[in-house]
Amino acid sequence: MAAPPKTALIVIDAQQEYFAPIGKVVLPQGPARRPHASIFAPGSPALEIHGDARPVAGEPVVQKHLPGAFTGTRLEELLRAQGIERLLIAGFMTQMCVDTTARQAAHLGFQATVLADATAAMAVKGPEGETIPAEHVHRTHLGSLAGFLAEIKPLADVAT
């Protein structure tokens, strides 16, 4: 029987920006964001990693500037150097950075598993101006990744 693939957890954009009271792009069920606030401002405390996701000593942190965590970063190099074959992907936003990173991972030959209950989306405006609720955005993007590009699982199904 073959050994299980060497796995890494990728936590995307777990920044204070998404959490009250510091953040201005607060996730659903959180307090409303402040109007006319600057988001993701360099040097802002909102860019700090949330305490619940803070890396332990020695864990690499890769700073990205575009939705895909592989674009213009050393992420692939770090993963390949460690012999990583499978990625568990968590973080924000399902419809943007999680989706893009999962697709990139599949294109690069990694096995990608998106942790459905460790990711979140926000409501978006549809093409006709209607609001698409956060839960619909989340489920639709997970559905579009499921099967061909990534496994979609709850954290409990992969936690050991």
Side-chain angles (χ1 to χ4, degrees), residues 8 86-90 102 110-116 149-154 158:
R86 180 183 184 212
L87 304 179
L88 302 178
I89 302 172
F110 292 100
Q111 296 171 31
T113 300
V114 177
L115 303 174
L149 294 168
E151 288 185 303
I152 309 300
K153 292 186 174 186
V158 297

Side-chain angles (χ1 to χ4, degrees), residues 4 24 28-29 40 50 52 59 62 78 80 109 111 122 136 141 143-144 150:
K24 297 170 191 78
Q29 268 70 139
F40 300 103
H50 190 279
D52 291 343
E59 284 185 319
V62 175
L78 290 169
R80 301 272 187 221
Q111 296 171 31
M122 293 189 79
H136 292 157
H141 279 270
S144 72

Side-chain angles (χ1 to χ4, degrees):
M1 184 164 172
K6 195 166 179 186
T7 302
L9 172 64
I10 305 294
V11 181
I12 301 170
D13 293 343
Q15 297 157 308
Q16 294 286 2
E17 192 72 79
Y18 292 115
F19 300 93
I22 294 173
K24 297 170 191 78
V25 188
V26 177
L27 293 167
Q29 268 70 139
R33 57 187 159 157
R34 291 170 249 169
H36 312 297
S38 174
I39 61 171
F40 300 103
S44 163
L47 285 186
E48 295 296 319
I49 297 172
H50 190 279
D52 291 343
R54 209 162 272 133
V56 297
E59 284 185 319
V61 174
V62 175
Q63 187 175 15
K64 65 180 189 57
H65 299 283
L66 292 168
F70 291 95
T71 304
T73 72
R74 59 191 191 106
L75 180 58
E76 182 180 10
E77 175 188 338
L78 290 169
L79 296 170
R80 301 272 187 221
Q82 295 296 315
I84 301 297
E85 300 170 300
R86 180 183 184 212
L87 304 179
L88 302 178
I89 302 172
F92 313 113
M93 292 288 168
T94 310
Q95 78 272 21
M96 184 62 69
C97 299
V98 170
D99 181 279
T100 303
T101 299
R103 289 172 188 277
Q104 287 179 321
H107 292 192
L108 292 169
F110 292 100
Q111 296 171 31
T113 300
V114 177
L115 303 174
D117 55 351
T119 57
M122 293 189 79
V124 298
K125 272 217 191 289
E128 286 83 33
E130 77 283 7
T131 297
I132 303 170
E135 182 57 26
H136 292 157
V137 173
H138 181 69
R139 291 175 51 78
T140 298
H141 279 270
L142 292 177
S144 72
L145 291 169
F148 181 68
L149 294 168
E151 288 185 303
I152 309 300
K153 292 186 174 186
L155 179 59
D157 284 4
V158 297
T160 55

